[in-house]
Amino acid sequence: MKKIVVLSGAGISAESGISTFRDSDGLWENHNVEDVASIDGWYRNPELIIDFYNERRAQLEHCEPNDAHKLVAKLEEKYDVTVVTQNVDNLHERGGSSKIIHLHGELTKACNERKTEVFDIGYAPMKYGERAKDGSLLRPFIVWFGEAVPLLEDAAREVQQADILIIIGTSLAVYPAAGLLYYAPEDAEIYVIDPKQPGAISRRVTYITEKATVGMKQLAEKLDVLP
């Protein structure tokens, strides 16, 4: 059974109604990204960040996985599949994928400030001032700008074993995650699904310049997982 690693970004969830910030001048839902997606922003105004992610969690509850998420899951019928996602939503899980590495955390979880205690909270709102057992403020379980990406090494190990690497819905502009491409073996097949071709890549890749649902359908047909 060949091994597929799927590296997904915001573009795969955009068709489900999950907003992105990369295409809107650094604003995310009318907030500066530095204010709501950085560790400095947390220290400046944790209440703002908790409210912001409460809104994202409430939005997520009413979003559904789209055909791209479902087709990624369908690959498991014929391949050993690991999804490495930069997204904090749970649409890959709800779409049926069974092995997922969330590089940037999970919206439906909370943690203490050191991230040594992690709690499933579903879609419930967090309250500013709630504290963990160690006395620190509870915070969203998100990896913000300015923080280490603790699962990056796990993701790199998966990519190193890939026969096929599928990059879908990411501009390959956010490091260190964007560097994962270069861990793929020299003989791995690499597919990039995105309406816009990313900048120069020093690897041989096949581009599918379509939105995630259309591109993933084309690739699923090529990989023989559609009737």
Side-chain angles (χ1 to χ4, degrees):
M1 185 177 280
K2 285 189 173 181
K3 183 174 183 63
I4 291 179
V5 175
V6 178
L7 175 59
S8 72
I12 195 172
S13 294
E15 292 180 71
S16 293
I18 302 291
S19 59
T20 68
F21 61 80
R22 283 278 153 192
D23 295 324
S24 55
D25 300 322
L27 294 178
W28 189 6
E29 296 289 347
N30 298 316
H31 291 280
N32 286 318
V33 171
E34 293 80 6
D35 291 334
V36 294
S38 75
I39 188 62
D40 290 339
W42 169 256
Y43 290 134
R44 279 196 305 270
N45 193 342
E47 190 168 11
L48 170 66
I49 283 187
I50 285 175
D51 288 344
F52 179 82
Y53 285 95
N54 282 345
E55 291 174 10
R56 305 285 74 69
R57 206 174 296 109
Q59 177 194 45
L60 176 59
E61 185 175 12
H62 301 289
C63 294
E64 296 294 332
N66 61 52
D67 286 344
H69 295 105
K70 294 172 185 176
L71 287 169
V72 167
K74 191 170 178 62
L75 294 173
E76 294 186 17
E77 294 178 5
K78 292 192 175 181
Y79 298 90
D80 173 15
V81 183
T82 298
V83 176
V84 177
T85 186
Q86 300 174 77
N87 300 335
V88 297
D89 61 59
N90 58 4
L91 296 180
H92 276 298
E93 286 89 341
R94 289 160 58 193
S97 290
S98 61
K99 188 177 179 183
I100 304 160
I101 296 173
H102 281 274
L103 286 178
H104 296 155
E106 297 178 64
L107 192 54
T108 56
K109 293 181 179 179
C111 62
N112 62 342
E113 290 192 287
R114 292 184 297 149
K115 296 185 180 176
T116 55
E117 301 174 42
V118 182
F119 313 90
D120 285 303
I121 60 172
Y123 304 105
M126 296 177 63
K127 294 178 182 177
Y128 173 67
E130 289 183 290
R131 295 194 175 271
K133 292 177 183 176
D134 65 0
S136 66
L137 282 176
L138 278 183
R139 53 162 278 180
F141 184 57
I142 304 291
V143 177
W144 291 315
F145 291 111
E147 294 190 294
V149 183
L151 295 180
L152 192 66
E153 289 186 8
D154 293 350
R157 279 194 292 271
E158 293 292 330
V159 175
Q160 284 175 332
Q161 301 171 48
D163 298 297
I164 301 170
L165 177 64
I166 302 171
I167 300 167
I168 179 168
T170 173
S171 63
L172 294 175
V174 178
Y175 281 83
L180 287 170
L181 160 69
Y182 299 101
Y183 285 89
E186 285 296 325
D187 59 350
E189 297 176 46
I190 303 174
Y191 298 91
V192 176
I193 300 173
D194 201 90
K196 304 173 187 174
Q197 286 194 15
I201 295 174
S202 59
R203 290 293 301 268
R204 185 166 51 93
V205 302
T206 300
Y207 291 103
I208 302 175
T209 50
E210 299 283 359
K211 63 183 182 180
T213 52
V214 175
M216 197 58 220
K217 183 178 180 183
Q218 291 179 12
L219 185 53
E221 289 172 349
K222 178 180 176 65
L223 296 176
D224 196 29
V225 293
L226 288 182

